[in-house]
């Protein structure tokens, strides 16, 4: 039994030694591959790497330029949006000249009254003018000018020394032209039809005045408001009251 064990151990040792010799033989047979390229091949490889590096740098530079252009465009877009907003506010405030579809109305003395020697109306009362403007606004008038004076939200129409004035401008001579602008041609036609059946012409006739309403015009020019706009009940904001900066 002891002899059998000794033989088995001897065989196992021989197997291990044989395996190690086989591995060493394979290692000697297949040595590590070495770079056998000559100097010019190495230089060409280095040149290719440099060209690749140059292309990458060019691409990075191009991307950076695009980013800068995009940021600049975003900034310009914000500035343009601000300019558009300011222009829109000016339009709404009546500070710009506007050409739009609309009507022309004329206030003048009644010719028949002139012929028979009756007293001639040389102006229109503030109350009568205000009623007309309110009616125009009720039928979607958006831009209005009376005798060249733009009517805005702060406009004051009143009698001063028996003379009707619009923001200080005297309506002392007839005829007086009223320019009315609306959003589109359809609204202009609607406004025209409403004014033709309005009682406004009768109210002016009672005051010895004739109100003439023209047919819709595709391009009525309304002048800009050229007086100083007075703002009341507002105070300037302090530097630390504006929220986040």
């Amino acid at each position: 039994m002891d002899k059998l064990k000794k033989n088995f151990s001897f065989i196992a040792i021989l197997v291990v030694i044989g395996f190690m010799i086989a591995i060493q033989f394979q290692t000697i047979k297949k040595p590590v591959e070495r770079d056998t390229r000559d100097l010019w091949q190495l230089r060409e490889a280095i040149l290719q790497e440099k060209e690749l590096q140059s292309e990458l740098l060019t691409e990075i530079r191009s991307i950076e330029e695009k980013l800068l252009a995009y940021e600049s465009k975003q900034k310009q877009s914000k500035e343009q949006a601000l300019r558009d907003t300011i222009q829109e506010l000016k339009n709404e405030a009546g500070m710009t000249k506007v050409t739009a579809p609309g009507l022309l109305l004329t206030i003048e003395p009644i010719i028949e009254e002139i012929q028979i020697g009756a007293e001639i109306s040389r102006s229109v009362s503030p109350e009568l003018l205000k009623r007309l403007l309110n009616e125009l606004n009720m039928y979607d008038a958006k831009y209005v000018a009376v005798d060249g004076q733009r009517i805005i939200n702060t406009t004051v129409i009143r009698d001063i020394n028996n003379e009707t004035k619009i923001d200080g401008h005297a309506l002392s001579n007839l005829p007086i032209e009223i320019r009315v602008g609306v959003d589109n041609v359809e609204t202009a036609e609607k406004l025209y039809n409403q004014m033709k059946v309005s009682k406004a012409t009768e109210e002016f006739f009672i005051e010895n005045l004739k109100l003439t309403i023209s047919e819709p015009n595709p391009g009525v020019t309304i002048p800009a408001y050229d007086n100083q706009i007075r703002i009341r009940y507002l105070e300037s904001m302090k530097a630390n009251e504006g929220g986040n900066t």
Side-chain angles (χ1 to χ4, degrees):
M1 188 68 177
D2 292 338
K3 186 176 180 180
L4 182 61
K5 288 182 179 180
K6 289 180 180 180
N7 290 336
F8 180 78
S9 298
F10 181 73
I11 293 172
I13 292 171
L14 289 178
V15 170
V16 171
I17 293 173
F19 180 72
M20 292 177 66
I21 293 174
I23 291 175
Q24 186 176 5
F25 177 78
Q26 290 292 331
T27 303
I28 295 174
K29 185 178 181 181
K30 296 182 179 180
V32 178
E33 293 184 1
R34 299 178 61 186
D35 194 339
T36 58
R37 292 177 295 178
D38 59 21
L39 182 60
W40 290 106
Q41 289 176 327
L42 292 174
R43 286 181 177 178
E44 184 177 356
I46 293 173
L47 181 60
Q48 290 177 354
E49 292 296 330
K50 287 185 176 181
E51 289 177 353
L52 178 60
Q53 183 181 12
S54 177
E55 291 176 359
L56 291 174
L57 290 175
T58 302
E59 184 69 20
I60 291 172
R61 197 174 296 114
S62 175
I63 294 173
E64 289 177 346
E65 290 175 354
K66 290 178 180 178
L67 287 174
L68 290 174
Y70 178 72
E71 291 174 357
S72 177
K73 186 175 181 181
Q74 273 194 324
K75 183 178 179 181
Q76 292 175 359
S77 297
K78 291 179 180 178
E79 292 175 353
Q80 184 62 43
L82 181 59
R83 284 194 292 267
D84 292 342
T85 301
I86 293 174
Q87 185 64 35
E88 183 178 352
L89 292 175
K90 284 184 176 181
N91 292 339
E92 292 180 357
M95 299 175 65
T96 57
K97 181 172 68 174
V98 178
T99 299
L103 306 176
L104 295 176
L105 287 72
T106 305
I107 302 172
E108 56 188 342
I110 298 177
I111 301 299
E112 291 79 4
E113 296 295 332
I114 297 176
Q115 291 176 347
I116 64 177
E119 183 179 352
I120 302 172
S121 297
R122 299 187 180 275
S123 185
V124 56
S125 67
E127 292 75 18
L128 189 57
L129 183 58
K130 288 178 183 178
R131 285 202 298 270
L132 176 61
L133 295 178
N134 287 337
E135 189 166 4
L136 290 171
N137 290 330
M138 184 172 62
Y139 297 133
D140 298 327
K142 192 170 184 179
Y143 318 104
V144 180
V146 178
D147 199 30
Q149 300 299 303
R150 182 72 171 266
I151 305 299
I152 62 174
N153 292 334
T154 59
T155 293
V156 176
I157 303 174
R158 58 186 174 181
D159 185 299
I160 301 178
N161 297 327
N162 295 323
E163 192 173 42
T164 301
K165 292 189 176 182
I166 299 177
D167 291 333
H169 172 78
L171 302 179
S172 55
N173 296 313
L174 296 178
I176 295 173
E177 183 183 65
I178 301 177
R179 292 175 169 262
V180 184
V182 296
D183 285 328
N184 50 58
V185 175
E186 291 76 11
T187 305
E189 293 176 352
K190 178 182 176 182
L191 176 61
Y192 173 75
N193 294 330
Q194 293 286 356
M195 294 306 298
K196 290 298 288 185
V197 298
S198 169
K199 292 183 179 181
T201 54
E202 297 178 6
E203 294 175 350
F204 276 85
F205 184 81
I206 294 173
E207 298 290 334
N208 295 329
L209 296 170
K210 181 181 179 181
L211 177 64
T212 304
I213 304 169
S214 72
E215 293 187 358
N217 189 323
V220 176
T221 299
I222 296 91
Y225 185 79
D226 58 359
N227 296 321
Q228 183 178 0
I229 297 179
R230 300 181 181 276
I231 301 176
R232 303 173 61 188
Y233 311 119
L234 291 180
E235 296 180 359
S236 60
M237 181 180 293
K238 296 180 181 179
N240 59 353
E241 294 180 352
N244 296 330
T245 57

